[in-house]
Amino acid sequence: MRNLDYVISSNEDGMKVYDVLRKHIKLSANLVKRNKRYPDGIMIDGVHVTTRDNVSTGQVLSFRLSDYERTGQIIPVPGPIDIVYEDDDMIILNKPAGVVVHPCPGHLIDTLGNFLLAYYDSKNDTTDFHPVHRLDIGTTGLLIIAKNPYVQDKLIDNFHTEDFQRYYFAICEGIFEEKSGTVNAPIAREFEDSLTRVIREDGKESITHYEVVSEYNNRSLVKLKLETGRTHQIRLHMAYIGHKLLGDSMYGGNCDEISRPALHSCEMKITHPMTNEIIDITCSLPDDMKKLIENA
């Protein structure tokens, strides 16, 4: 079981438990409401308290982070997962191409969510599925999933800050004239409820930084850092500057050598929300992208 223990300071003496949890520990109102129902949800020095109770200097306020039960409808189904990093608070997977992150119409029992819950079950762990972000079905590489809603909230809050940096490799058409740069082009849905996106003035701010790593005849391996996280952002931005991703049939990068957009989540630099440790994880190119380089 995972708890968050917090020592009450002299500045907090006499405060209500609720105020310490919300204003000082920065817990969400939903999390506090959830834990109020359980005898070990909120405790001071090992004794159950209510959110209306007062705290005193030196006391240890404990808040249970672990899930009490699974509240979603995801069915645990055994399946392959490639674990790159795991601790008590989060797990980082290497997502393969062709796999959806969480259930949706047409994919109810063959997603990473299904597979991960089955993995937890194999360890007698009742942790629920707490995704922090998602990758397109065709994108491979690093994907982080929290093990409790508190860590999930913290990681989402840190998204696209110095405390949560994501890098991608893409193989693009052509040779870049500018070997590094920034694409700042707003992205919007092409039509209401459409899957495709377009660069348009009324879109949301979208910023991608890129650097050419190497060149192979008429294709380039590019490393990209996202400053924002719009749907299809890298694919659209590279097409916008004239360097479509190989295999990206949606945005015009047709290629018989690969059946998906040549995009891979290759690195994450994260400040751990519980320990403040810097976690720097890398993940090498998958075989289908390696072959694009070898065959160039």
Side-chain angles (χ1 to χ4, degrees):
M1 184 176 69
R2 189 68 160 151
N3 286 333
L4 176 64
D5 294 330
Y6 182 83
V7 179
I8 302 301
S9 70
S10 58
N11 292 332
E12 296 159 333
D13 189 78
M15 288 182 63
K16 298 292 185 184
V17 167
Y18 183 84
D19 291 332
V20 175
L21 293 175
R22 294 282 286 121
K23 297 177 182 178
H24 291 219
I25 304 180
K26 307 295 184 183
L27 290 166
S28 71
N30 284 338
L31 267 181
V32 175
K33 182 179 179 181
R34 180 199 74 165
N35 278 28
K36 286 169 62 175
R37 304 196 303 264
Y38 299 98
D40 63 345
I42 306 171
M43 297 188 293
I44 290 181
D45 294 338
V47 178
H48 172 72
V49 293
T50 73
T51 55
R52 300 184 302 275
D53 290 329
N54 299 99
V55 300
S56 298
T57 303
Q59 289 182 324
V60 177
L61 176 60
S62 296
F63 188 91
R64 173 168 166 154
L65 300 180
S66 300
D67 293 310
Y68 289 91
E69 58 187 352
R70 292 178 184 163
T71 58
Q73 302 299 314
I74 300 176
I75 302 169
V77 178
I81 56 172
D82 182 2
I83 299 172
V84 180
Y85 173 89
E86 182 177 12
D87 62 24
D88 291 337
D89 300 297
M90 60 189 188
I91 186 167
I92 299 176
L93 305 178
N94 177 16
K95 176 192 167 303
V99 177
V100 178
V101 173
H102 51 74
C104 60
H107 295 279
L108 297 178
I109 58 172
D110 59 351
T111 73
L112 284 182
N114 302 113
F115 302 158
L116 191 58
L117 291 192
Y119 167 72
Y120 291 153
D121 282 351
S122 72
K123 302 171 65 177
N124 295 317
D125 185 344
T126 59
T127 296
D128 209 344
F129 186 51
H130 300 288
V132 175
H133 62 119
R134 63 177 73 182
L135 298 176
D136 292 340
I137 186 171
T139 303
T140 58
L142 299 173
L143 178 81
I144 186 167
I145 297 155
K147 288 190 174 182
N148 61 68
Y150 174 75
V151 170
Q152 181 184 33
D153 287 347
K154 292 299 181 184
L155 288 170
I156 291 173
D157 286 345
N158 289 341
F159 224 39
H160 305 302
T161 71
E162 289 303 305
D163 290 328
F164 195 147
Q165 301 177 54
R166 294 186 296 158
Y167 299 85
Y168 290 78
F169 278 137
I171 301 179
C172 300
E173 295 179 347
I175 301 301
F176 286 63
E177 183 175 342
E178 299 291 335
K179 305 306 179 185
S180 63
T182 297
V183 183
N184 187 344
I187 292 175
R189 287 185 184 271
E190 186 172 15
F191 309 106
E192 186 177 356
D193 297 327
S194 72
L195 295 176
T196 53
R197 269 47 173 188
V198 292
I199 304 296
R200 205 166 59 207
E201 289 185 1
D202 65 343
K204 295 180 179 179
E205 182 183 44
S206 307
I207 301 172
T208 304
H209 306 285
Y210 74 87
E211 179 179 1
V212 176
V213 175
S214 51
E215 298 169 343
Y216 309 88
N217 292 328
N218 197 38
R219 53 187 64 165
S220 301
L221 176 64
V222 183
K223 190 171 186 179
L224 307 109
K225 179 183 177 183
L226 295 178
E227 190 169 318
T228 56
R230 310 303 176 201
T231 298
H232 301 169
Q233 178 174 317
I234 289 174
R235 297 160 63 182
L236 269 172
H237 276 179
M238 292 300 98
Y240 178 68
I241 63 173
H243 296 284
K244 302 166 186 173
L245 270 62
L246 294 181
D248 188 3
S249 58
M250 182 175 286
Y251 298 109
N254 293 310
C255 177
D256 293 336
E257 299 170 65
I258 189 169
S259 60
R260 65 177 184 91
L263 184 61
H264 176 68
S265 174
C266 65
E267 184 178 3
M268 284 185 180
K269 291 183 180 179
I270 299 168
T271 300
H272 197 293
M274 296 295 288
T275 67
N276 286 323
E277 177 187 3
I278 303 299
I279 307 294
D280 192 347
I281 304 290
T282 59
C283 184
S284 60
L285 282 176
D287 289 342
D288 59 353
M289 289 180 67
K290 289 179 182 177
K291 288 179 181 178
L292 287 178
I293 293 172
E294 293 167 357
N295 296 336

